[in-house]
């Protein structure tokens, strides 16, 4: 029986090279098939635009500055919302994960909020803060906060308390225990929560702009979709997808670096 080969550190590069080539070939093949289907008229142009038409539309949107304007609007909403979710979510999750009574207090509230579709809260958010910048930021903050909270509390509670008792037996301070034991143990969970939060925040900024906005990538998708300019819709979608993939890959690399740091201090 043939078993899958496990790459050693020295043989990792050829495997990665093969993976890149196969992935690139898959994307190119898909684009060629897509172009042929569109040019053959098998699907109405109102429903599906060809890759070449999308490229032309992208060039037009870039030259006019429209794409940059809407991208900056979405980026600002995303950045502020994600930052707030981290600033609020991490300390809250650490407290709820480390202090049992705090966890008992917060867990039912977070569970109820987590069970509610975030988008369903958007009409209530609009009633409270109105349509503008902060309604999108608040929706993004809530969605990112939930991912960070759930993952981080899980990581804090997964800490081996035998090591905590050992640290206390040597009169280690609470800060020393957190820095040397709890945080390294919870780091993979925290980074996973951050990666999940980024994904949810990207989705929700687009959804919020689809529902109520005067600018942003979601607004572009809604506007050009209503006017049946499908190539422009695909341009906005492509920007969202590429942004999400890049952010995900950056966080994956950071997770690998944090994993090496965690091993080094253990």
């Amino acid at each position: 029986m043939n078993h899958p080969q496990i790459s050693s550190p020295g043989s990792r590069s050829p495997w990665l090279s093969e993976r890149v080539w196969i992935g690139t070939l898959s994307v190119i093949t898909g684009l060629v098939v897509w172009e042929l289907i569109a040019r053959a008229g098998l699907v109405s142009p109102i429903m599906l635009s060809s890759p070449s038409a999308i490229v032309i539309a992208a060039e037009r949107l870039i030259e006019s500055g429209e794409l940059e304007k809407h991208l900056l609007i979405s980026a600002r909403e995303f950045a502020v919302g994600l930052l707030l979710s981290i600033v609020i979510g991490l300390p809250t999750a650490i407290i709820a994960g480390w202090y049992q009574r705090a966890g008992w207090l917060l867990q039912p509230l977070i569970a109820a909020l987590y069970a509610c579709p975030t988008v369903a809260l958007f009409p209530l958010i609009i009633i409270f803060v109105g349509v503008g910048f902060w309604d999108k930021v608040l929706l993004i903050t809530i969605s990112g906060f939930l991912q960070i909270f759930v993952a981080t509390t899980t990581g804090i509670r997964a800490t081996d308390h035998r090591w905590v008792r050992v640290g206390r037996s040597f009169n280690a301070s609470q800060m020393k225990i957190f820095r040397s034991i709890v945080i390294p143990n919870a780091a993979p969970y925290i980074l996973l929560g951050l990666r999940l939060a980024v994904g949810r925040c990207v989705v929700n900024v687009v959804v919020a702009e689809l529902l109520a906005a005067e600018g942003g990538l979601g607004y572009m998708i809604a506007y050009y979709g209503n006017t049946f300019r499908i190539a422009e819709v695909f341009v906005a979608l492509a920007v969202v997808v590429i942004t999400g993939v890049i952010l995900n890959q950056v966080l994956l690399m950071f997770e690998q670096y944090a994993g090496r740091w965690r091993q080094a201090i253990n």
Side-chain angles (χ1 to χ4, degrees), residues 90 94 152 155-156 159 175-190 261-262 265:
L90 272 180
I94 290 172
T152 302
I156 298 294
T159 301
M175 182 60 66
K176 180 67 174 178
I177 291 173
F178 255 91
R179 186 171 61 86
S180 302
I181 299 173
V182 178
I183 296 302
N185 182 82
Y189 296 88
I190 294 172
W261 165 77
R262 182 168 174 259
I265 66 174

Side-chain angles (χ1 to χ4, degrees), residues 24 26 41 53 55 97 122 140 149 175 198 225 229:
T24 304
S26 172
V55 171
F122 194 53
I140 295 163
F149 182 90
M175 182 60 66
V198 167
R229 294 171 63 177

